[in-house]
Structures are given as structure tokens and as C-alpha cells.
Amino acid sequence: VLPKPSERTLANGLRVIVARSSDLPLVTADLTVRTGGWADPDGLAGAAAMSAGMLTEGTKTRSAQEIARQVEALGATVVSSADGESSSVTLNAMPGKLTEAMTVMADVARNPAFAQEELDRQRAQALDGLQVAFQEPGQLAAFAMGPAVFAGTPFGHVMGGTPASLPKLTPDHLRAIHTAAFRPDNAILVLTGDITPEQGFALAE
């Protein structure tokens, strides 16, 4: 039985949905923005995916290591990613640690640093992953599908990037995508678990 959600739109345009389900002492907060791989600039396939993936790799006040340490100390998890249609930051935390954990989540979502050294590291990992994927027929078919099926549309490219596009990415490219996408009027915050609507809306504010 799905919980009945409560919904409110904040003054800044952020849509907030809270659905209480207290079967487990856990809360999940998911911030999703309506911008994904379709927004990659021409010739920069993988820009949105890299931008979203790097949100947890350091902010203007926290390094990647500090984020990891603080989240682990709270017994929480924070992950970020993008697909073709959207990007998201997702937090899982115990109710008693939720306020502190959401402070880190908010910093990750709003103030990513996109440091050059972190981009270089993430890019190297992505290129290594492509080298492995290119040895697998199923992966090759997946890479070919988007450009073949959606040719001529914003979805007609490899969303995760290619060996040609990933080396072109700069921190400025990632900042531009983040600035355009991570706006409250382009986002939905969903909180579920052991939390009341009143608590959820207060945290969202």
C-alpha cells in the first residue's frame, strides 16, 4: 500500500512531495532536476552525466574526502547521477541525523566546486570504463542505439560520453550545465520514510 503524499510548492518554485511510511527508521530524500543528457552541448556528449556525477566530489567549502567522512559519520549515503532525461542527488539517512545530512546534501546540490583535479580523475575513470565496455557486444549495441534511434534529436548521442567528447570537458562546461539545471523551479524534492509532511516541508525550506 503506497503512502498518501502531501505536496507543496515553495516560494522559490521548488516542488516538494512528502510521503510518510514508518515501517523502517529511515528517510530518503531525492532531489531531481528536469535536465539530463539531452542538454549536452553539441560535441560534448557526457557533459550532463559528468556534471551530475561530480556533485559529490567536492563543494566550495567541503572536499570530496570531507563529504565522504561527514556522510559516513552520520550513517548516511549521498549519491548523484544523471540519465537521459534528468539528474538527481539522493540521500538516505536515519531520522535523527536527517537535518545534518540534508545540510551536506544541500551543499552538494547547490555549491559544487568542479575542481580540475577531480574532473581529471573522473574523466580517467570514465575513459577506462569505455575501454572495457567497447570489448562487450551488448555495450556496443547500447552505445549505438541512441544515435540510431533518436538521430536528429537531443537524445541522439551517447549520453555517458565518448573517447572523443570526454577529453574536451572543462570545469566551465560543467558549471554552465549545473547553473542552468539546478534551479528550484526546475526541480522536485521528494522525501519518503519515517517523516511527517510538516517535518519534510520545514527541511525543504
Side-chain angles (χ1 to χ4, degrees), residues 87-173:
S87 304
S88 64
V89 181
T90 304
L91 165 73
N92 288 289
M94 303 289 281
K97 302 293 185 180
L98 186 59
T99 299
E100 294 173 86
M102 283 197 70
T103 298
V104 180
M105 178 187 181
D107 192 29
V108 165
R110 297 174 63 185
N111 305 304
F114 297 123
Q116 182 67 58
E117 59 271 22
E118 289 293 344
L119 172 56
D120 292 340
R121 187 170 65 84
Q122 294 295 317
R123 183 186 1 249
Q125 290 180 356
L127 290 171
D128 285 346
L130 286 177
Q131 283 190 333
V132 175
F134 283 169
Q135 307 304 313
E136 301 178 11
Q139 292 282 357
L140 285 173
F143 291 141
M145 183 183 68
V149 175
F150 299 107
T153 77
F155 292 89
H157 64 278
V158 180
M159 300 289 180
T162 69
S165 67
L166 291 175
K168 299 178 184 177
L169 296 179
T170 68
D172 285 342
H173 291 137

